[in-house]
Amino acid sequence: MADGRVLVVDDEPDHGLTVRAILARDAVAVDFAASPEDALAQACQQTYDVAILDLRMPGRDGLSLMHALRRGQPSLRVIILTAYPSPTTCRTALTEGASAYLEKPCAPEALRAMVASLLAQSSKSP
Amino acid sequence: MADRIAQVLADQIEAICANASARLTGRAEFAGDQRHLAAALSTLAAALIDAARDDQPERLSDAALALGRDDGDPCRGYGRVQLLLDVLCSESVEALRRVVLGSEGKEASARLRGLLGPAMLGLADLCRQTDQAGPPEAGAERGS
Amino acid sequence: MESRLPTSRLKPLPGMPRATGEHPDLRDVGQALGELRLLQQLNQAIIANLPSGIAVLDQDGRLLYFNGTFGRMWDLDLAALGKHLAEVAGDGPLSRINWRGEVARLIEGGQALPGNLLEAGERPSRRVIRYGLFSLPPTDFDLPRRLVGDEFCLGFLSQHECIGDCQECCAHTATWQGDHALLLVEDITDQRQLEAQLTQSEKLAALGQLSAGVAHEIRNPLSAIYNAAFYIADVLSDEEPDVGELQEYVALIQRNVDRAQRTVTNILNFARPSGPDRTTADLSDLVEQTLAILDKALVDQGVALERHLRSGVMVRCRPETVKQALLNLIVNALQAMPEGGTLIVATAREDGDFPSVLVTDTGSGIAAGDLSRIFNPFYSTKPAGQGTGLGLSIARQAIEADGGRLDVASELGRGTTFEMALPAAH
């Protein structure tokens, strides 16, 4: 399957673990960070193709983390996950540059498919 | 393989839609909207079969986008369409698994997901385009 | 005295002695009598139309007199006169008081005992009253009581002339001797019910404000469960599934079901209407149960929580009411710290008669001018449509109804501290 490395950031460890397990089924390398700080630290060590960011996290929200991660890795594709969906959140996330937006309870099949598509895009135009 | 997938899905389309409908009926997104749910599912299922047969993900994307536009503000309907696609696709994967076994089955599932991914990302694009202010980074995103 | 009576403006009443051509002194007496009669009519009209029950008790706690409202409140008729109040008051709140003792205490102390609350009876006929007992000057004469409609008229000057030998009056003449007490009773059952409803709707409004946190606490475990089920199904579809690691995801499902379940239980516990009765509760438990539904809101807002709670500090209160008041205080504190800060929740005065909880924020503080108004109903600093302005007002009322106190101190730029004190359970 597609090569690439994915970073899952969620302050809900159980949720992050399930996302990681599902994505790892496609032989994708997946790292997990339980906080925005951990995510930034890991992004210093690793280059990622796709990041899956929970929108609401203590300290720094997913969109702000997206901008921070992109400063180091401009071609990073981002999927925003949220447990508080609203049309405004959806529009904000997408116009600020997220590739996709998913509502929790998240659609695992759709997530898996999107990650595969984004990784394919990423390998074509790194 | 494309024809095989399309054939399996076409053979089981009623079961796929019935299973998906059963899963979605209980969701608040579709409460009291049975007819709309059934119609949307059958449209998407037909588009999925077309897309699989011709190996053209756009067929599914176009159908999904049409549903997204139906809601007026695609951002408002995003969650519903996302859910429809996810459940339809996972029921389709289940249907494939029953018939196509082993590594062939895995490949079939992956292909199906290959159709779903662009539809989901296309839906996100549609939401982005409807923003009046104009997205700062969306153009770069789409262009990549 | 005669010079102070505004004689000239009074019109003669029916039955009043004609003054013309009589001796000037007699004319004055006649006029004074007319005025007294007028005043008595006025008095009678007021007493008959008051929504409060009025009764006069002698020093033994026997009923000497009651107005129509009092009679209707406790279903009393003429036969109740001369009987001990506790005897005739059925199982209502009045039966719970030793009136003889109360009157004696009143007379000894010379102090009125106003504003006492009593609650008794079985639901749904449970009644809540507020009563006050006031001393009357000692007297020593007979006073006829006449029944007009369901209202007693006291004295010889009542509207219908009594010449002193009328059967109706004299049958009910009572000797007012020694000390008496005036008992005022207000039935506040409806008011209490309305307060309870208001508290309930405030509670739900507060829950509404927390709904984002609630959604988070339910959707996250649900999403993890959904994903785990998806993952397990996916692995099981393999030709030779590696089931070893699935155990971990089954445990994850169980753990997250428990978590969602706990959230629902917390909300239900919180939203449940208050029980009517005061009980003994551990003050720190009440605080912890309130914080349990607020945890996520704190984290979301970047507010650090400091707990200084000593367990085993027992108070008498209606626990649901106190939790509601605490929630109001904490939501207020969070709103005062939109940019984050520290919320300090501490028990204080733990060994005194009124142990308390302090809720302190490090927010913007409240200006001295506003501080006196924050407990006023409908006073709100929030934009219209956000918050009813009733939260703190209801909180204070509820705490005071439990015999406690709710106070505030604040310093602009430093923060605000609310202190909720409740009667200790001994």
Side-chain angles (χ1 to χ4, degrees):
Chain A
M1 184 90 220
D3 288 332
R5 191 168 274 273
V6 179
L7 177 63
V8 178
V9 189
D10 199 325
D11 63 319
E12 295 282 332
D14 276 355
H15 194 267
L17 288 179
T18 57
V19 170
R20 181 168 72 174
I22 289 166
L23 296 180
R25 291 283 288 163
D26 292 329
V28 177
V30 193
D31 291 339
F32 170 66
S35 72
E37 295 77 37
D38 285 358
L40 288 168
Q42 292 191 38
C44 289
Q45 312 290 320
Q46 271 293 349
T47 305
Y48 292 102
D49 301 284
V50 176
I52 298 168
L53 312 179
D54 189 29
L55 186 59
R56 220 197 261 209
M57 290 184 287
R60 190 195 268 272
D61 72 24
L63 289 180
S64 152
L65 178 61
M66 170 176 80
H67 294 306
L69 288 170
R70 285 233 178 103
R71 274 195 282 279
Q73 306 185 16
S75 64
L76 181 73
R77 270 92 171 162
V78 170
I79 299 173
I80 294 286
L81 288 190
T82 183
Y84 314 84
S86 80
T88 316
T89 323
C90 171
R91 184 170 289 116
T92 310
L94 293 173
T95 53
E96 283 202 23
S99 296
Y101 161 93
L102 268 186
E103 298 176 359
K104 283 181 180 177
C106 88
E109 199 66 74
L111 179 68
R112 200 170 164 180
M114 280 195 293
V115 170
S117 288
L118 290 173
L119 288 177
Q121 283 180 12
S122 179
S123 66
K124 274 181 224 154
S125 57
Chain B
M1 174 62 95
D3 283 339
R4 177 106 196 265
I5 294 174
Q7 192 55 52
V8 171
L9 294 183
D11 289 347
Q12 300 194 54
I13 186 163
E14 276 173 28
I16 291 171
C17 287
N19 288 346
S21 174
R23 279 176 63 182
L24 290 169
T25 300
R27 294 285 295 245
E29 288 89 339
F30 298 100
D33 205 0
Q34 281 306 302
R35 267 198 315 181
H36 183 257
L37 171 61
L41 273 176
S42 77
T43 307
L44 286 178
L48 180 66
I49 294 169
D50 286 348
R53 187 178 46 238
D54 305 339
D55 202 13
Q56 284 186 336
E58 313 81 83
R59 307 290 279 271
L60 181 61
S61 302
D62 291 347
L65 294 188
L67 279 179
R69 285 197 198 90
D70 276 354
D71 277 304
D73 177 359
C75 290
R76 195 167 293 281
Y78 188 86
R80 283 159 63 104
V81 184
Q82 169 197 303
L83 195 57
L84 281 167
L85 284 174
D86 178 65
V87 171
L88 180 69
C89 195
S90 84
E91 285 306 319
S92 302
V93 167
E94 273 306 311
L96 278 174
R97 273 176 187 156
R98 283 193 287 270
V99 179
V100 190
L101 304 172
S103 59
E104 212 188 2
K106 288 224 169 297
E107 198 202 325
S109 308
R111 273 172 173 257
L112 204 65
R113 260 174 232 124
L115 304 174
L116 176 63
M120 292 293 300
L121 295 178
L123 208 56
D125 271 342
L126 180 69
C127 292
R128 225 179 266 120
Q129 285 158 11
T130 56
D131 181 64
Q132 303 297 316
E137 291 177 61
E141 185 70 33
R142 272 198 308 276
S144 63
Chain C
M1 176 180 171
E2 53 272 39
S3 64
R4 283 191 215 124
L5 288 169
T7 52
S8 58
R9 267 166 286 162
L10 281 175
K11 285 186 186 153
L13 291 163
M16 179 178 165
R18 308 299 305 167
T20 2
E22 289 176 15
H23 188 277
D25 284 353
L26 279 180
R27 198 189 59 201
D28 284 354
V29 169
Q31 211 150 21
L33 198 63
E35 284 162 17
L36 266 180
R37 208 187 289 268
L38 175 74
L39 286 177
Q40 183 170 27
Q41 283 173 12
L42 183 65
N43 192 24
Q44 246 165 250
I46 292 172
I47 288 177
N49 292 299
L50 269 183
S52 304
I54 297 176
V56 177
L57 304 182
D58 71 8
Q59 55 205 358
D60 289 329
R62 278 189 290 249
L63 271 174
L64 275 179
Y65 164 79
F66 53 85
N67 72 348
T69 306
F70 191 92
R72 284 187 295 277
M73 268 181 188
W74 313 109
D75 213 10
L76 303 182
D77 57 20
L78 285 176
L81 288 169
K83 297 214 170 117
H84 287 283
L85 177 53
E87 262 172 58
V88 295
D91 67 344
L94 290 180
S95 63
R96 295 174 57 166
I97 296 276
N98 168 10
W99 292 104
R100 188 179 182 159
E102 283 287 307
V103 175
R105 233 176 11 172
L106 174 70
I107 291 162
E108 271 167 35
Q111 291 282 317
L113 300 170
N116 293 292
L117 282 179
L118 276 178
E119 217 173 309
E122 290 304 313
R123 283 172 176 277
S125 57
R126 186 180 190 89
R127 308 274 290 274
V128 188
I129 61 158
R130 178 180 284 131
Y131 77 93
L133 202 56
F134 307 88
S135 62
L136 291 173
T139 51
D140 189 7
F141 49 79
D142 291 349
L143 208 53
R145 296 171 289 211
R146 174 204 289 273
L147 196 62
V148 178
D150 63 351
E151 201 68 37
F152 285 113
C153 303
L154 280 181
F156 292 99
L157 288 168
S158 40
Q159 193 172 10
H160 305 282
E161 200 75 27
C162 171
I163 49 169
D165 61 0
C166 116
Q167 193 56 42
E168 193 192 349
C169 287
C170 297
H172 302 301
T173 298
T175 303
W176 289 49
Q177 207 164 43
D179 295 297
H180 307 99
L182 180 71
L183 174 63
L184 293 181
V185 178
E186 245 181 304
D187 189 328
I188 57 166
T189 311
D190 291 348
Q191 187 188 331
R192 267 308 194 71
Q193 212 157 7
L194 217 60
E195 276 170 20
Q197 282 167 7
L198 206 56
T199 305
Q200 182 64 12
S201 55
E202 263 299 298
K203 197 150 58 171
L204 296 178
L207 270 186
Q209 287 171 21
L210 298 172
S211 60
V214 172
H216 184 281
E217 284 306 287
I218 300 215
R219 282 213 175 107
N220 271 300
L222 278 187
S223 194
I225 292 165
Y226 194 82
N227 286 346
F230 176 88
Y231 173 71
I232 291 171
D234 201 53
V235 170
L236 289 176
S237 76
D238 288 352
E239 267 175 304
E240 287 169 27
D242 176 7
V243 294
E245 62 165 335
L246 292 187
Q247 197 55 44
E248 188 190 327
Y249 290 88
V250 172
L252 184 146
I253 289 177
Q254 285 162 343
R255 184 161 72 231
N256 281 276
V257 167
D258 289 344
R259 181 175 152 199
Q261 173 63 24
R262 190 168 59 237
T263 302
V264 172
T265 306
N266 282 344
I267 295 166
L268 289 181
N269 279 344
F270 185 83
R272 195 173 43 207
S274 312
D277 297 320
R278 292 208 272 159
T279 58
T280 299
D282 186 321
L283 191 53
S284 65
D285 284 352
L286 299 178
V287 176
E288 290 292 1
Q289 286 163 18
T290 310
L291 287 172
I293 68 160
L294 275 158
D295 270 354
K296 186 63 198 169
L298 295 173
V299 172
D300 280 349
Q301 216 169 301
V303 169
L305 173 64
E306 270 184 40
R307 284 178 168 88
H308 303 284
L309 301 172
R310 199 178 92 185
S311 61
V313 178
M314 306 308 284
V315 289
R316 290 285 298 169
C317 64
R318 290 170 294 169
E320 301 308 322
T321 308
V322 170
K323 282 193 271 181
Q324 165 59 25
L326 277 170
L327 179 76
N328 270 320
L329 297 184
I330 296 172
V331 167
N332 257 291
L334 289 182
Q335 284 164 345
M337 301 185 285
E339 307 298 325
T342 306
L343 174 74
I344 306 153
V345 187
T347 44
R349 303 175 208 256
E350 292 150 341
D351 301 317
D353 288 337
F354 286 90
S356 62
V357 190
L358 304 176
V359 177
T360 302
D361 66 63
T362 56
S364 45
I366 303 165
D370 294 333
L371 207 55
S372 57
R373 295 191 290 161
I374 61 166
F375 291 112
N376 293 355
F378 303 110
Y379 176 77
S380 176
T381 53
K382 285 166 228 158
Q386 294 178 25
T388 54
L390 285 174
L392 287 176
S393 147
I394 289 174
R396 175 178 257 186
Q397 226 171 27
I399 297 304
E400 286 179 351
D402 281 0
R405 262 190 5 256
L406 183 59
D407 295 309
V408 63
S410 186
E411 203 179 324
L412 269 183
R414 297 287 300 274
T416 304
T417 296
F418 283 92
E419 177 169 21
M420 178 197 291
L422 291 164
H426 291 300

